[in-house]
Amino acid sequence: MTPSRQFVTVERLPGRLRLRREGDGHQHRVEVEIQGVVLEAQLELQSGEVVLFSTDDCPFEEVLHITLLSPSGQVLETLELGQAMQPGLFQNFEALSDGVAEFDFFGGHRHRLEVLYPHRGLLSDIFRRRRLKFSSRDQATNHDEPT
């Protein structure tokens, strides 16, 4: 998983972002709409899929939207992180390996996102397993502390 700047904001709509990725020799031009009004981060997986992190720009009751896109720009899965009356600030984002990233969102808590690769087969097509796996860590990262 590598940090990416493939997608740029084309238009802000009420509660949504319209994003565009320009085409090159390997990829086609893609436009997509996702939840949120601020594009916080984006990561490209080795598979060519992209994970987008966006927020609603409401610091006193923030929601983090995580969107998994196919290489062609199709929304494969979404995940939301938020709590009523709970402030959130997306920070200290770190890509750890392909399919694994950590970040701080709620004060004092570190979070991990894992993108699971799809299983192939008849049962996998019938019982679709979620690919975005979210877990909460114990403490937030404080990069200001001496090590």
Side-chain angles (χ1 to χ4, degrees), residues 26-92:
H26 303 289
Q27 300 172 330
H28 293 57
R29 180 179 170 166
V30 171
E31 283 200 19
V32 64
E33 279 188 26
I34 63 169
Q35 291 283 356
V37 297
V38 176
L39 182 60
E40 299 283 357
Q42 48 189 309
L43 294 171
E44 183 177 2
L45 282 69
Q46 290 177 357
S47 64
E49 296 169 319
V50 178
V51 181
L52 303 173
F53 297 81
S54 58
T55 57
D56 290 337
D57 194 26
C58 181
F60 299 107
E61 196 170 61
E62 188 65 270
V63 175
L64 176 66
H65 305 277
I66 303 171
T67 306
L68 175 64
L69 298 178
S70 71
S72 64
Q74 175 188 3
V75 175
L76 299 174
E77 190 171 326
T78 61
L79 181 67
E80 291 185 349
L81 176 61
Q83 296 177 356
M85 308 299 277
Q86 177 70 41
L89 182 61
F90 184 82
Q91 57 188 0
N92 299 323

Side-chain angles (χ1 to χ4, degrees), residues 38-41 53-55 59 62-64 81 87-95 101-113 134 137 139-144:
V38 176
L39 182 60
E40 299 283 357
F53 297 81
S54 58
T55 57
E62 188 65 270
V63 175
L64 176 66
L81 176 61
L89 182 61
F90 184 82
Q91 57 188 0
N92 299 323
F93 182 79
E94 185 177 11
E102 288 187 354
F103 55 90
D104 299 339
F105 187 61
F106 297 123
H109 295 284
R110 186 89 176 143
H111 304 284
R112 176 176 280 209
L113 176 74
F134 174 78
R137 313 292 281 173
Q139 294 183 333
T141 301
N142 186 347
H143 292 290
D144 296 334

